[in-house]
Amino acid sequence: NIFTPFFFVAVLVLVVGLACGLDLGSGETEEPAPAIQPTPLNPPQQPQTQPTQVPFTPVPPASRFFTENFNASVSNWETFVTRGELNQLNASVDGGYYVFELLERQVWGYALYTPETYDDVRLDVIADNRGVNDNNVSLVCRYSEDEGWYEANIANNGKYWIYYGKWDNNRKTASYAVVADGGSNAIRQGKDVNTYSLVCKGRTLTLLINDKQVRVVDDNQWVLRDGLVGVGVSSFTQLPVRVEFDSVEISEP
């Protein structure tokens, strides 16, 4: 048939024209629409960070053996007198020193460390004499109002005594019995600094002056077991009496 080739040519032209007609119109190529990201209804939760658990460490109790440097309050120290009046003893902290100033003659003043009682114990005190050369510095161990106490007295004139002290029934006066006494060239007389030590161990009382052992004595009469520790200063016939304690060390003997 003569029209058959023309028919296929016409069909081919029509197909090509339809294909090209798809881009006819505006003549511009449209940008593809951006892909829409779906929003999750329940966004994933970030895992919560657990707080770091710090192990509890209990605070250890303050040691009953320590060195008191008198840089703060002395509320743990209780003052009293066995002779004279309490208002004649001026005991206060001044510049890192525990200052004992006696305002009258014949005043025996003390300060006890009250939070703890001790059986076997050693006291070391550094005492600076800033007054006349007529006073005692005292170290006390095993103090009890009912049973009494041991006391070492060191005088600036070179003498020393170890006493047993005891209150009377109304605690207004005290009596003293000599356990031992003597003299020592180890004492620095006048306005000077001394280190005094008293060791109470069992029935044995030991006195050291400037690290030199000067007396060891056993008490087989009163045999005190335990009690408070403390320090003291006594005036005699001259004023002013002023002793400054730089430190008091309480330790195991």
Side-chain angles (χ1 to χ4, degrees), residues 130-150:
R130 307 303 300 169
V132 296
N133 192 35
D134 188 28
N135 61 71
N136 273 353
V137 173
S138 304
L139 285 72
V140 175
C141 71
R142 297 181 183 171
Y143 174 94
S144 166
E145 290 190 5
D146 297 328
E147 300 296 328
W149 64 91
Y150 295 125

Side-chain angles (χ1 to χ4, degrees), residues 49-110:
T49 303
Q50 295 296 326
T52 303
Q53 297 295 326
V54 179
F56 173 72
T57 303
V59 178
S63 173
R64 58 199 304 265
F65 298 108
F66 68 102
T67 299
E68 176 68 86
N69 291 310
F70 303 113
N71 293 320
S73 169
V74 287
S75 59
N76 288 330
W77 295 79
E78 177 185 344
T79 58
F80 66 95
V81 296
T82 58
R83 292 188 182 178
E85 301 294 332
L86 186 58
N87 60 10
Q88 296 169 343
L89 165 62
N90 183 9
S92 60
V93 173
D94 184 8
Y97 291 88
Y98 197 13
V99 179
F100 276 56
E101 188 173 13
L102 304 182
L103 307 179
E104 297 291 341
R105 298 172 179 86
Q106 297 298 327
V107 177
W108 294 18
Y110 300 83

Side-chain angles (χ1 to χ4, degrees), residues 38-48:
T39 301
L41 295 178
N42 295 309
Q45 299 292 326
Q46 294 293 329
Q48 295 184 354

